[in-house]
Amino acid sequence: QQQVKQSPQSLIVQKGGISIINCAYENTAFDYFPWYQQFPGKGPALLIAIRPDVSEKKEGRFTISFNKSAKQFSLHIMDSQPGDSATYFCAASFQGGSEKLVFGKGTKLTVNP
Amino acid sequence: DSGVTQTPKHLITATGQRVTLRCSPRSGDLSVYWYQQSLDQGLQFLIQYYNGEERAKGNILERFSAQQFPDLHSELNLSSLELGDSALYFCASSPRNSLRTGGYTFGSGTRLTVV
């Protein structure tokens, strides 16, 4: 119940295309869903986050879509750029607890020029 | 620079040895989290400290221990090392009620290689 399942494991997209990464969770107590971006040799960095009271959140080219009934959420990267090539992690947490994050296993995104 | 400092960046040691990884959180952050990142398991939560006290424990082996000192820096001690302990170890810090204000900040990690 603590798991967050992420797919695909890897993704190759052409420059200008849309990258879509999906995550699913079981524990309905999760109430905070961030996405982290990690470049080689660096730690993960917060990209965008959503709470279950909204169905979509957009920040620039990055959009999170959230489906509470299906217990799924996804990251959409519009107009993907080679600089977006990185590993993306979805995560989930409870606000009321220790605030530890449970991470998906990551998606390695490659955007070809 | 994220503001979270981890040392050393790289560590190579032999099986059976003991190492200490150090983390200095961002100024003002009270919580420190330790994560292990391996290729097959992804980012696994190990342990969290809040203002010097252990707050949550995850998949941390008994051979591993951690503490947070009065100046809020934290150390992760790994003993009786095995080949399978080779991984990236990340520290993250957050202020109080972090998930309402922007989440964690990760350091750049310590890459541990056990030979």
Side-chain angles (χ1 to χ4, degrees):
Chain A
Q1 268 211 330
Q2 290 289 325
Q3 286 185 334
V4 176
K5 295 183 180 179
Q6 183 172 347
S7 63
Q9 192 172 359
S10 62
L11 182 61
I12 300 174
V13 173
Q14 292 300 117
K15 179 182 175 182
I18 302 173
S19 304
I20 302 174
I21 304 170
N22 300 300
C23 284
Y25 63 98
E26 287 296 322
N27 193 333
T28 55
F30 286 143
D31 59 4
Y32 173 74
F33 302 90
W35 285 87
Y36 279 77
Q37 179 189 56
Q38 185 181 24
F39 292 104
K42 302 290 185 183
L46 179 65
L47 191 62
I48 186 172
I50 198 168
R51 303 190 195 288
D53 53 344
V54 298
S55 61
E56 187 174 283
K57 183 174 180 180
K58 185 175 180 179
E59 290 185 3
R61 296 184 294 108
F62 300 90
T63 300
I64 299 179
S65 297
F66 187 83
N67 186 329
K68 189 174 182 178
S69 60
K71 291 184 285 186
Q72 295 176 347
F73 58 111
S74 60
L75 176 69
H76 295 236
I77 306 174
M78 312 301 287
D79 187 26
S80 299
Q81 299 296 312
D84 297 331
S85 297
T87 300
Y88 292 81
F89 294 92
C90 62
S93 183
F94 318 92
Q95 282 199 70
S98 73
E99 300 187 336
K100 68 178 183 183
L101 286 172
V102 178
F103 283 88
K105 290 198 174 182
T107 297
K108 185 175 181 180
L109 172 65
T110 303
V111 181
N112 289 327
Chain B
D1 182 9
S2 68
V4 178
T5 303
Q6 288 189 249
T7 57
K9 291 192 184 303
H10 302 277
L11 199 48
I12 301 175
T13 190
T15 54
Q17 295 298 304
R18 173 190 168 96
V19 297
T20 297
L21 313 184
R22 182 188 169 103
C23 169
S24 294
R26 280 190 325 172
S27 177
D29 285 356
L30 299 179
S31 274
V32 170
Y33 306 78
W34 285 98
Y35 280 81
Q36 180 192 57
Q37 185 176 38
S38 59
L39 282 174
D40 56 341
Q41 292 296 322
L43 279 158
Q44 294 286 311
F45 170 71
L46 296 178
I47 197 164
Q48 178 205 0
Y49 280 83
Y50 178 80
N51 203 18
E53 299 289 327
E54 182 183 304
R55 184 84 184 268
K57 223 167 184 177
N59 300 320
I60 187 165
L61 299 172
E62 284 192 11
R63 300 183 284 109
F64 296 180
S65 65
Q67 55 184 326
Q68 186 179 28
F69 294 87
D71 66 352
L72 300 179
H73 91 271
S74 178
E75 292 181 356
L76 179 66
N77 300 297
L78 315 176
S79 61
S80 303
L81 284 167
E82 301 175 359
L83 296 177
D85 297 327
S86 297
L88 266 169
Y89 290 85
F90 284 104
C91 165
S93 74
S94 69
R96 191 174 181 180
N97 297 324
S98 68
L99 300 188
R100 296 182 180 88
T101 57
Y104 297 178
T105 301
F106 279 84
S108 294
T110 294
R111 181 173 293 281
L112 173 67
T113 303
V114 182
V115 298

